[in-house]
Amino acid sequence: MYISSVKNEIMPTNNAKIKLAEITQNLISEKGDANLLKSSIEELKLLLEKVSGLNQEAPINSENILLPTGKAIGPKWAGMCIEDVPRTHKFIKGIHSAVQEVLGKNPKKPVTILYAGTGPFATLVLPLLALFKPSELQLILLEVNTVSIESLKRIIKGFDAYEYIKAIYHCDAANFIVPSEFEADILLIECMQHALLREPQVGITYNLLPQM
């Protein structure tokens, strides 16, 4: 299911964008110590929860979705992944470096990230919006959970990020066919937990990687 419009939930928040930029600078800084990283990620989580309006304690947000290739964890659990400080920090820094590398090869063309399993916040790419212009970075977002899709729409509106979004798809990424008009440079899959045993990381990778 293609989501063609994301402009109807909440007003853009300049303060949220400024706060996101401050947090992102801390996350990519080479001088950041453990305490700064921890506090920055805690601030990021609070900011995303506030902008999305996601009620973590609503029963529906704890519900997982059983798919043919694995279990898609509920929005509450997906949102909590941000609390793993080393994981979140290394992912964001790694993706930042990857975007820089691709831009260095072709600075006249925006880097497109295909992000499967965004959860409610698109945590691993959202901070990058404070570092790159839409002419440098574009996103294709895939998510199977309806609650997470609605949260994503509020996130995009709250950070006034429309110009970065090529498309959002409400789909099972393990059988998603990338439209021919989209050419992605970086494949990001955030669907891995417990040594590949439960979430559909393998199935999604098997489907999407050959399409890159």
Side-chain angles (χ1 to χ4, degrees):
M1 178 181 177
Y2 172 52
I3 310 298
S4 61
S5 176
V6 294
K7 300 187 177 183
N8 298 313
E9 271 75 20
I10 58 176
M11 293 298 293
T13 307
N14 288 332
N15 287 342
K17 293 169 69 176
I18 293 170
K19 186 63 178 176
L20 180 66
E22 294 173 354
I23 293 169
T24 304
Q25 288 299 327
N26 289 337
L27 292 178
I28 66 167
S29 172
E30 298 296 336
K31 299 178 181 179
D33 60 23
N35 290 331
L36 178 61
L37 288 177
K38 184 174 184 296
S39 63
S40 296
I41 287 175
E42 288 172 351
E43 289 178 350
L44 178 60
K45 182 173 185 288
L46 291 173
L47 179 63
L48 296 178
E49 288 175 346
K50 181 177 180 180
V51 173
S52 70
L54 185 70
N55 178 6
Q56 298 275 37
E57 301 309 316
I60 192 174
N61 294 341
S62 297
E63 295 178 4
N64 303 318
I65 298 176
L66 297 180
L67 302 169
T69 56
K71 178 173 67 177
I73 59 176
K76 176 178 179 177
W77 317 118
M80 287 173 61
C81 290
I82 194 175
E83 297 174 6
D84 185 334
V85 174
R87 173 189 184 276
T88 301
H89 178 228
K90 290 178 181 179
F91 257 120
I92 291 173
K93 284 202 70 174
I95 298 163
H96 175 238
S97 296
V99 172
Q100 286 184 311
E101 181 176 337
V102 177
L103 269 179
K105 295 176 181 178
N106 190 354
K108 296 182 179 180
K109 176 179 174 291
V111 177
T112 298
I113 298 177
L114 176 60
Y115 184 0
T118 65
F121 305 140
T123 305
L124 302 183
V125 298
L126 190 71
L128 302 184
L129 306 190
L131 303 174
F132 300 101
K133 297 177 290 187
S135 60
E136 298 172 317
L137 180 63
Q138 291 288 294
L139 306 175
I140 303 168
L141 308 176
L142 311 183
E143 172 57 46
V144 72
N145 190 288
T146 301
V147 174
S148 289
I149 285 285
E150 293 304 313
S151 175
L152 273 178
K153 290 160 63 177
R154 293 190 293 270
I155 286 283
I156 291 165
K157 188 170 186 65
F159 289 102
D160 193 19
Y162 312 121
E163 294 182 357
Y164 291 91
I165 310 301
K166 279 191 173 181
I168 304 175
Y169 288 92
H170 184 190
C171 65
D172 179 354
N175 54 40
F176 177 74
I177 304 300
V178 181
S180 58
E181 66 267 28
F182 292 147
E183 181 178 330
D185 302 291
I186 296 171
L187 175 60
L188 171 61
I189 304 173
E190 190 180 6
C191 303
M192 182 173 64
Q193 193 177 45
H194 300 304
L196 302 174
L197 292 177
R198 296 184 178 90
E199 290 195 78
Q201 177 92 11
V202 172
I204 293 174
T205 304
Y206 186 80
N207 175 48
L208 294 179
L209 192 58
Q211 300 184 58
M212 297 294 287

